[in-house]
Amino acid sequence: MAHIFDRAKPEDIKNKSLSDIRRVYHHYMEKGILRYKVMDSNNLVSLSFSMDTCYSTSLYYLVWDYLFMDLEGKTDELARITKIFEVYKFINNFNQMLEGEVILSEAIKDKTAHRKSKEELDESKYVLVKDMTTPTKLFKDCNGVPGVIVTVNGVDRAFSLNNFNLHSSLEFYKKLDAKFKRKSFFIQNDMRSMGVILAMYALQKYEKEDRTKKLKSEKRSYYYNEGNCFFHALKAIEPIFRDISYQSSFKNLSTPEQVKKAKKILLQHKKRLRLVGFGFSPVYKYMKKSEGVKLLIFWEHGGFIHAEGFEDGKPIEEPQAHVKVLMSRKCQIREFVIVEMDDDEVIFLEEQANEHEEDEDSKSEC
């Protein structure tokens, strides 16, 4: 700690560890060197460090999120090349130190791009897609600007959709543009800006095996943290939902539909979800006041909805980086517990559910 936070007084770091550091709060320049102020678990901002003394991969990841996934616009004034230089400064400075238990390639492979030669970079600018079976993936950046990732000769390359007509046949572009207009509503905004996304794909070139592993990891991450987060949160707080038979039944359902299904399953076990609190505040701040095992559903205006299981003010599972960013911002929050029901309550709720199903059936017949 004393080497990393080289401006700190001994009393500032007494009884503190790297696990107390939650995020990079802001940056400043000192004699041409970027330094980062960090916020700890008590929301105190006092310690600072630079990449010259960043001996920790966990701190490196926090810097990465701050520079390239910044939602508060604090790094907008930094040039992209400055941000990339900070990444490679870490790699160059600590290459030897990271050999051994922490392998450098493992520490950075999901965070940074592999260098390519100038010839390869120049070649990537002149992609011309004509084959209508070329794999594509549509996305939107943090501002909703459309983009596309195409896989050509086993390499993923990203383009702004508005400029993609310069890199494809007219037929290919028209069909892709039409596809985006059909699916735009269902595509979530990325946490990064278009410039950062394009820079990442201009630099990277994964081997086939690495791409397969990365794709599986992303699918698993999406299943737990976005596509199926409510069910995953339920599993964390209630053993009933750890039955493997429930896993597929929640898949591809919206969050409201998952809530309805969860209520039916709980009713079968004489249990129910009870709303015990709500608010509009940073999720971390709200969470700290919560005691016992709880389920929080939270969302930002215009953003995606997310669910996490908590126990005594702390997440039961470690949230993903982009979820941590969301949890540090003001969100609409709903707090639930799972409670036991008596027999009379079970009968009443079952009758209500049956009446609702009959109403739905009559509507469908009409």
Side-chain angles (χ1 to χ4, degrees):
M1 293 287 284
H3 292 292
I4 294 173
F5 302 105
D6 53 344
R7 299 288 190 274
K9 298 175 183 178
E11 57 267 26
D12 292 338
I13 55 177
K14 187 178 180 181
N15 299 325
K16 284 189 177 181
S17 68
L18 288 174
S19 61
D20 295 322
I21 307 303
R22 288 289 177 260
R23 67 186 181 99
V24 175
Y25 184 71
H26 63 80
H27 70 275
Y28 65 95
M29 299 292 292
E30 184 182 273
K31 296 180 180 179
I33 295 175
L34 269 175
R35 292 189 64 85
Y36 304 95
K37 282 270 191 179
V38 296
M39 178 180 284
D40 63 20
S41 54
N42 295 317
N43 293 329
L44 295 176
V45 180
S46 59
L47 302 176
S48 71
F49 68 95
S50 72
M51 275 298 187
D52 295 317
T53 59
C54 182
Y55 296 96
S56 161
T57 52
S58 64
L59 281 183
Y60 163 79
Y61 290 150
L62 293 180
V63 172
W64 172 273
D65 291 339
Y66 177 71
L67 292 177
F68 292 101
M69 300 179 70
D70 179 30
L71 297 180
E72 298 178 3
K74 292 182 178 179
T75 68
D76 283 353
E77 70 274 20
L78 293 176
R80 180 170 58 84
I81 192 66
T82 302
K83 298 178 181 182
I84 294 174
F85 175 74
E86 284 288 279
V87 170
Y88 284 107
K89 188 176 183 181
F90 174 84
I91 297 171
N92 292 332
N93 288 354
F94 302 107
N95 185 20
Q96 296 304 317
M97 296 183 188
L98 292 173
E99 297 293 341
E101 274 191 27
V102 182
I103 307 299
L104 178 64
S105 59
E106 292 296 317
I108 66 171
K109 72 176 181 181
D110 288 334
K111 295 286 183 177
T112 64
H114 299 293
R115 278 193 184 277
K116 292 170 66 176
S117 68
K118 185 177 183 302
E119 289 74 21
E120 286 178 302
L121 286 173
D122 289 340
E123 183 185 341
S124 69
K125 297 176 184 177
Y126 301 108
V127 172
L128 184 61
V129 182
K130 297 179 180 179
D131 184 355
M132 301 303 292
T133 63
T134 301
T136 60
K137 178 184 177 183
L138 293 165
F139 67 88
K140 290 190 288 189
D141 77 351
C142 61
N143 297 312
V145 178
V148 60
I149 298 167
V150 295
T151 305
V152 180
N153 296 328
V155 179
D156 294 335
R157 293 186 173 95
F159 301 90
S160 165
L161 190 59
N162 295 335
N163 296 326
F164 189 61
N165 60 332
L166 301 175
H167 303 275
S168 71
S169 66
L170 183 60
E171 182 187 11
F172 192 98
Y173 174 75
K174 284 184 175 180
K175 289 194 175 182
L176 195 62
D177 186 53
K179 182 179 179 181
F180 178 82
K181 288 174 181 175
R182 290 196 310 271
K183 297 192 171 186
S184 176
F185 179 79
F186 304 100
I187 301 174
Q188 292 184 350
N189 287 16
D190 197 289
M191 306 294 284
R192 301 161 296 180
S193 68
M194 181 63 69
V196 170
I197 296 170
L198 298 185
M200 288 286 296
Y201 280 89
L203 288 170
Q204 70 186 4
K205 183 180 180 183
Y206 292 107
E207 297 298 327
K208 184 176 180 181
E209 185 179 350
D210 291 335
R211 286 203 316 276
T212 303
K213 288 180 180 178
K214 188 172 180 62
L215 182 60
K216 286 181 179 178
S217 174
E218 286 174 353
K219 283 183 177 178
R220 184 169 60 252
S221 174
Y222 177 81
Y223 175 75
Y224 283 148
N225 292 283
E226 291 172 26
N228 219 12
C229 61
F230 179 75
F231 175 60
H232 188 59
L234 283 174
K235 285 172 60 180
I237 69 169
E238 175 54 61
I240 290 171
F241 294 97
R242 293 168 197 165
D243 189 323
I244 196 169
S245 63
Y246 291 130
Q247 185 164 310
S248 59
S249 62
F250 280 82
K251 195 173 182 181
N252 298 325
L253 296 180
S254 66
T255 301
E257 289 171 332
Q258 288 191 30
V259 172
K260 288 180 183 178
K261 180 169 281 292
K263 285 181 177 179
K264 286 184 179 180
I265 294 170
L266 287 169
L267 183 59
Q268 294 169 6
H269 293 82
K270 296 185 178 182
K271 294 184 178 184
R272 70 182 177 92
L273 272 175
R274 177 194 289 169
L275 178 68
V276 293
F278 59 90
F280 177 66
S281 76
V283 180
Y284 276 123
K285 186 177 180 180
Y286 184 97
M287 173 189 66
K288 286 182 179 179
K289 300 176 183 177
S290 179
E291 296 181 354
V293 178
K294 303 285 179 62
L295 183 145
L296 290 192
I297 299 178
F298 48 93
W299 65 94
E300 198 174 22
H301 179 69
F304 65 86
I305 188 169
H306 190 76
E308 286 283 346
F310 293 82
E311 184 171 10
D312 295 331
K314 295 181 180 180
I316 295 174
E317 303 274 346
E318 180 72 13
Q320 271 195 310
H322 72 277
V323 175
K324 289 180 181 178
V325 172
L326 178 65
M327 289 168 63
S328 68
R329 297 169 68 84
K330 280 190 174 182
C331 293
Q332 293 286 348
I333 302 170
R334 300 295 181 267
E335 180 181 13
F336 296 87
V337 294
I338 293 177
V339 295
E340 301 278 352
M341 295 189 296
D342 57 37
D343 290 337
D344 291 338
E345 198 174 7
V346 172
I347 293 170
F348 173 72
L349 289 175
E350 284 178 340
E351 288 175 350
Q352 276 194 325
N354 291 334
E355 288 176 6
H356 178 71
E357 286 178 1
E358 288 173 4
D359 289 341
E360 290 297 320
D361 289 340
S362 63
K363 286 179 184 177
S364 62
E365 286 175 6
C366 293

